[in-house]
Structures are given as C-alpha cells and as structure tokens.
Amino acid sequence: QWLRNPGPQHEKRTLFGDMVCFLFITPLATISGWLCLRGAVDHLHFSSRLEAVGLIALTVALFTIYLFWTLVSFRYHCRLYNEWRRSNQRVILLAPRAAAAAPPAPPGLRPAKRNSKETIV
C-alpha cells in the first residue's frame, strides 16, 4: 500500500534509486575488496609491506563506507515508511451479524436462556 500510495513521488524515486545503487554497489564493493586483499597478499609475498598495509587499509575503508551508506539509507527509508504508517492507518471494523450469538454476560450475572436452535460458537 505504501508503494501504491499516490503521495509524494520523490520518496518512491529515492527508494528506487537507492535500491539500484545497492544492487550495483554491493557486487562492486565485494569484488574491489577481494582484489585489494589479493593484492595485499601478493605484496606480502614480494616483501613490500607498505603497499600491503595500504591495500588492507583501503579495503577496510571501502567496507566501512559501504556499510555506513547502507545503514543510513536503510534507516532513512524505514523512517519514511514509519511516518507514512502513522499518518495513514486504515482500520476495518467487522461488526457481528444480527443472527450471531449474544455477547457474553458481565461477571456476576447469569447468562440469558437461549432458544434450542441457538448454539454457542
């Protein structure tokens, strides 16, 4: 219902854009991190520790920024949804039919006699 709501289209475009970015950036960040770590391992074998430490730091920075962006984006869209949900509550009241059984008697009172055709469900 939130996506079909004819409300502000900016929020839906932002959600769609963030989903596209997430689908594009997730494999890109994973492959980039893997390549950086592979490069760091290769540099350690060739005894160039400074380049290896630099690549490991780059990998940590890459994943930190990726996780931060993901968290901020997720929290933003959750906040928008919760605001929409608070202001667009839809309550459907289902009233019992007239032929249904009578409501239960208050405590301390005996229930009224029933016809033989009525049953308690």
Side-chain angles (χ1 to χ4, degrees):
Q1 289 181 355
W2 178 55
L3 292 175
R4 290 184 294 175
N5 185 23
Q9 294 297 319
H10 173 72
E11 296 172 1
K12 292 175 192 123
R13 280 193 305 267
T14 304
L15 175 64
F16 179 72
D18 283 346
M19 287 172 49
V20 168
C21 286
F22 181 77
L23 291 175
F24 177 71
I25 291 174
T26 299
L28 186 64
T30 304
I31 291 169
S32 298
W34 181 77
L35 289 173
C36 285
L37 290 177
R38 286 290 302 199
V41 169
D42 290 343
H43 281 291
L44 284 174
H45 283 97
F46 296 120
S47 70
S48 56
R49 295 188 191 278
L50 185 60
E51 287 88 358
V53 170
L55 286 171
I56 291 171
L58 180 63
T59 303
V60 170
L62 176 73
F63 282 115
T64 301
I65 292 168
Y66 170 75
L67 290 174
F68 179 73
W69 173 79
T70 303
L71 178 67
V72 168
S73 179
F74 182 75
R75 289 186 68 201
Y76 171 74
H77 292 294
C78 284
R79 186 179 53 83
L80 287 179
Y81 171 73
N82 286 331
E83 288 175 7
W84 174 84
R85 193 179 65 181
R86 273 194 301 272
S87 62
N88 291 291
Q89 291 185 10
R90 190 172 142 197
V91 178
I92 299 173
L93 180 62
L94 300 175
R97 292 187 177 144
L109 296 176
R110 292 189 302 177
K113 292 185 178 181
R114 300 184 186 280
N115 292 338
S116 60
K117 293 180 183 179
E118 291 182 349
T119 59
I120 298 175
V121 179

